[in-house]
Structure formats: structure tokens, C-alpha cells
Amino acid sequence: MAKVKIDMTEGKILPLLTRFALPTMATSIINQLFNTADTIVVGRWGGATPEAREIALSAVSACGPLVSMIITFFVGLSVGSGIMVSHAVGAKEDHTVKKTVHTSVTLATLCGILLGVLGFVFARPLLILMETPDAVLDQAVLYMRAYFVGIPAQMIYSYCAAMLQATGDSTRPLIFLSVSGVINVILNLVMVLGFGQGALGVGIATAVAQWISCSMILVYMLRTSGLLKLQPRQLTLESSTLKEVLRLGVPAGIQNSMFAIGNLVMQVALNSFNSSVYVSGSSIASNVGAYTQLICGGFCTAAYVFVGQNTGAKNITRIRECMKTSTITISALAITLNAILNLISLPLLTLFAPSNPEVVEFARIKLVVNSTFYVMGHLEGLYGSAIRALGKSTLPMIVSIAGICGVRVLWINTVFVWIRHPLTIFFAYGASWTITFIVQAILYHRLQKKIGAQWEAEKNAIASAALAEANI
């Protein structure tokens, strides 16, 4: 068995989770910092007047839910690749890792090219369909088309990073994204300040950064002699491996898509006010609030890899202890960090739109409402990921369709109709997170009991067979 970066099948649980989570947190935070820089650059210098800057910021913001809806299904397929690698690592099956790597990179390339073309061609009609404000539409189309030039690279990177993390390596994704992110910020400033390109400039910078991170991770996999060695001549869609990747990844992709559709419904409801203040303020709040989510998300990812490796090793005791530890850690982190965030929210939000207090105030209100429920969102993600890592991707998919997408769509078509106010939209997030978490937790506890009993029966059968053979 080739050496893995972090073997989670043995050792103390919290130190292992923390060792994996810290680079993952740093990766996510750095990536978000660069996204924040995008928003700050376009919000401060994306136009000659406050109104022009507000429009440029809204153009970038308006594309977020739509882009997410288009790409999340295919990015979700990378979950299948990650689960297969983590199970193979736990079971010490190097040959399975090799087949997964080459099938996954091929799949990512094909999906990325398809999505890049579709997003570029249909940018305008899709933005019109989601009722993007008229003043924002033209710049949003330019941004979205530039962004989708980088989609093939984003797909390849996502699949490769998922497999890296599954081997316990959370450090290299940090390095790759840090380098590409710095270049992204530099290009933002050059394109917006130097060439006056506004939203288009930010889109171009983002696409270039995606290709840089993709190139770095591919170079590493081509040169490594470890588990994830990539050999171009072996790139193929191997049928049995592809089938398993899709079995595990399609439900996760559908779940991600439903989540994105739920967010898109919320964005359309917000767009219905035809106010760039609401659109840009909402985006700013989401940008700032993302930091506490990403810190807790690092532990969610660590738990997902931990459960995956120990599923391969069939060690239910470690899985149960991991989930207890992760639940306590994530809850404590979420409550503490959200309290701090709300205390310092005003100066943080003002960074994005210093000349537009109306936008800042609206952003502050959304942040206060949403952050109250962030802990439920984190725990929902934790238990949903654990169920997928146990090899059951369909269950969390069904729950997410009903709990995330279903609740939000129902809320917008009932409560929002009765109380037509932006705050009504924001409370839908808390309702959907809470309901989905409760159901995911119940399903996880039932599933781990069933799987634990199954593994115990298998061990007893093997022991009995060995005893009988020894007595012959």
C-alpha cells in the first residue's frame, strides 16, 4: 500500500481531524479572501460614480446563484471520486485508486468542456429568465461569459482536489489555490483599475486563476510517484469505475443542484424588487458570512474523509467517535465565531461599499438574520457528508431536495407571498437548515447502527470460519 498523507484509520481522533481541517480551512478562507477581493475591487473601483460601481457589483452578484445552479451537479460528481478513493485508502486497495484517478479526470474534462460552451452561449437568456435587473443585465452577461471560459479548469481541479483530500492531503490544495488567488487579485486590479473593465475584468481574472490552479494540480499528479499518479495514456472512462463514481456522485450532484435551485429561487425573489441595493447588499452579506461557514466547513470535510477511510476499514467505533467529536467542535466554533462576526460586522461590510450606507445597512440586516441559523447549516452538512461517506448518497439527496430546495420554494410561494419583504426571504434559510439537519441526523444514527451490525456479523462469520478450519 502506497503511503497516504493522513491515515485516519488509527490514532487520536481530534488531533487527526484538526490536522486535516486546518489546511482545509486555510484553503477555503484564502479562496474566499480572493473572492472578497473581487467584490471589493469592483465595488470600490468598478465605475466612475457610486451608481456605476453599484451596478458593476450587482452584475457580479447576480450571476452567483445562476452559475452555481449550472455547475454544482457536475462538481457534485467529484464527491463520488473522493468517496471511492477514501474507501480504497481504508481498504488498502491501490489498484482502485489508480482506476478512479484516470476515470475521474477524463469525466471532469468532458463535463467541463460541455458546461463551458453552454454557459457562454446561453448567458443572456438565462440571466433574463431569472429576472436580473435591467440596469445590471449587460455587465452580468459579460462577467458570466468570461467566468465560463474557466469552467473546464474548475471542473478538473475540483475532481483532483477531492481525490487529494481523500488520501488525507489537505495541504497541496491550499498551496495551489493560494498561488492562483494572488494572481487573481493582481489581475483584478489590472483589469479594473488599469483597463477600466469592471465586471468583465473580474470575470477574466477569475477564469485565468482557475486555469492556473488546474495546471498546478495536474503538474503535481503527473510528477508524483504516489497514489494519485496521473498517466495521460491511461485516461479513459473505465466502465465499472465510472458506474461506481456515478452511483456515489450523481445523488450528491443532484443534492447540490437542488441546493443551488433553492438559492436561485431566493435570488429571483430578491430580484423581483428590481433593486440593485438589495442585490449588492445581499451579496456582500453572504461574502462576509462565508468566513465562519468555511472554518466550520473544514471540520465537516475532515469528518467526511475520516468516515470514508474508516468505512473502507469497516471500523464503526471510530466513525461514531468522530461524529460525536465533530458535532461538539463544530457547534462550539459556529456559536463563538458568529457572535464575533456580528460584533465587527459593520466595519467589515463598509469595506465593500464605503460610499453607499444603504447597501451596507441592508447587508448587515441579512447577516444578522442568517448567522443566527448558521450552526444548523453546518450540522446539516456534517451529517449529510457522513451518510455519503458511508456509501449511501441517495438518502442525503432526498432529504436535501425536500429540506433545502423544497422548504425554500414552498416558503417563497407562501410566506413571502403573504409578507412581501426581503427579510422574509432570509428567514427561509434558517427554516430549511434546521429541518434538514434534524432529518439528516436521524437518518445517520439509524444507518450507522445498521452498518455497524452488518460489519460485526461479517467479523463473527469470519472468526467462526477460521475457528472451524483450525479444528479440522
Side-chain angles (χ1 to χ4, degrees), residues 10 38 107 196 326 341 356:
E10 55 186 29
D38 291 352
L107 178 63
S326 299
L341 177 66
N356 201 326

Side-chain angles (χ1 to χ4, degrees), residues 111-133:
C111 291
I113 293 171
L114 173 65
L115 285 181
V117 172
L118 291 177
F120 189 92
V121 172
F122 294 104
R124 181 174 290 275
L126 288 172
L127 286 165
I128 292 173
L129 185 64
M130 63 177 290
E131 300 181 14
T132 302

Side-chain angles (χ1 to χ4, degrees), residues 276-440:
S276 59
V277 170
Y278 289 172
V279 173
S280 55
S282 176
S283 175
I284 290 171
S286 297
N287 210 309
V288 172
Y291 288 97
T292 62
Q293 298 180 61
L294 294 173
I295 292 173
C296 295
F299 273 95
C300 288
T301 303
Y304 160 76
V305 174
F306 189 105
V307 173
Q309 289 191 13
N310 282 280
T311 297
K314 296 186 176 181
N315 191 334
I316 196 66
T317 300
R318 285 182 67 79
I319 291 173
R320 289 168 178 163
E321 289 301 316
C322 165
M323 291 302 291
K324 290 178 184 177
T325 302
S326 299
T327 299
I328 294 170
T329 303
I330 289 171
S331 298
L333 271 174
I335 293 170
T336 303
L337 291 172
N338 289 329
I340 295 172
L341 177 66
N342 281 302
L343 285 174
I344 62 174
S345 62
L346 189 57
L348 289 177
L349 295 168
T350 303
L351 286 173
F352 294 84
S355 58
N356 201 326
E358 189 177 3
V359 169
V360 172
E361 179 58 21
F362 184 78
R364 188 188 65 81
I365 293 170
K366 178 185 177 179
L367 185 63
V368 170
V369 173
N370 279 14
S371 63
T372 303
F373 300 96
Y374 279 164
V375 64
M376 295 299 173
H378 303 320
L379 293 176
E380 180 275 323
L382 171 66
Y383 282 89
S385 295
I387 294 171
R388 284 194 295 273
L390 284 166
K392 305 294 182 181
S393 285
T394 303
L395 284 173
M397 175 198 74
I398 294 171
V399 174
S400 290
I401 291 175
I404 297 294
C405 183
V407 168
R408 293 179 185 180
V409 171
L410 180 63
W411 186 282
I412 293 302
N413 286 283
T414 54
V415 180
F416 179 64
V417 172
W418 303 329
I419 309 172
R420 186 174 167 76
H421 191 279
L423 278 180
T424 309
I425 301 172
F426 302 149
F427 276 104
Y429 290 101
S432 62
W433 286 331
T434 302
I435 292 170
T436 308
F437 158 60
I438 292 171
V439 179
Q440 297 279 37

Side-chain angles (χ1 to χ4, degrees), residues 44-309:
R44 281 178 170 264
W45 303 294
T49 66
E51 292 76 17
R53 292 191 288 273
E54 183 181 305
I55 288 173
L57 176 58
S58 298
V60 174
S61 305
C63 293
L66 179 57
V67 169
S68 179
M69 185 194 71
I70 294 172
I71 70 173
T72 47
F73 172 79
F74 294 94
V75 171
L77 294 181
S78 67
V79 171
S81 302
I83 292 173
M84 283 195 68
V85 170
S86 66
H87 286 184
V89 167
K92 318 299 183 189
E93 297 175 351
D94 289 13
H95 64 283
T96 301
V97 175
K98 181 179 180 180
K99 289 191 295 183
T100 303
V101 166
H102 292 90
T103 296
S104 298
V105 172
T106 305
L107 178 63
T109 302
L110 295 174
C111 291
I113 293 171
L114 173 65
L115 285 181
V117 172
L118 291 177
F120 189 92
V121 172
F122 294 104
R124 181 174 290 275
L126 288 172
L127 286 165
I128 292 173
L129 185 64
M130 63 177 290
E131 300 181 14
T132 302
D134 297 338
V136 172
L137 181 60
D138 287 340
Q139 288 203 48
V141 170
L142 292 174
Y143 171 80
M144 186 169 168
R145 285 177 173 166
Y147 186 95
F148 269 86
V149 171
I151 286 299
Q154 183 179 342
M155 286 293 162
I156 295 170
Y157 179 85
S158 296
Y159 282 67
C160 293
M163 292 186 288
L164 267 177
Q165 291 178 335
T167 66
D169 188 347
S170 56
T171 303
R172 286 187 178 87
L174 167 62
I175 297 170
F176 300 148
L177 282 179
S178 296
V179 173
S180 65
V182 170
I183 295 172
N184 187 12
V185 172
I186 294 171
L187 285 176
N188 277 336
L189 294 171
V190 171
M191 296 300 297
V192 174
L193 289 176
F195 294 98
Q197 290 302 308
L200 174 61
V202 173
I204 292 172
T206 300
V208 171
Q210 287 170 342
W211 279 105
I212 289 172
S213 60
C214 172
S215 299
M216 287 189 292
I217 203 167
L218 285 177
V219 167
Y220 165 73
M221 291 177 66
L222 287 167
R223 292 181 176 179
T224 185
S225 59
L227 274 175
L228 300 182
K229 173 70 175 177
L230 181 64
Q231 296 173 295
R233 292 184 178 181
Q234 295 185 23
L235 288 172
T236 183
L237 292 176
E238 198 274 324
S239 58
S240 61
T241 303
L242 177 62
K243 182 179 178 180
E244 189 65 10
V245 168
L246 294 178
R247 184 186 74 81
L248 295 167
V250 166
I254 294 174
Q255 178 179 338
N256 287 352
S257 296
M258 292 301 103
F259 190 88
I261 289 172
N263 285 340
L264 186 63
V265 169
M266 312 282 269
Q267 185 67 45
V268 170
L270 193 63
N271 288 350
S272 69
F273 291 97
N274 201 28
S275 168
S276 59
V277 170
Y278 289 172
V279 173
S280 55
S282 176
S283 175
I284 290 171
S286 297
N287 210 309
V288 172
Y291 288 97
T292 62
Q293 298 180 61
L294 294 173
I295 292 173
C296 295
F299 273 95
C300 288
T301 303
Y304 160 76
V305 174
F306 189 105
V307 173
Q309 289 191 13

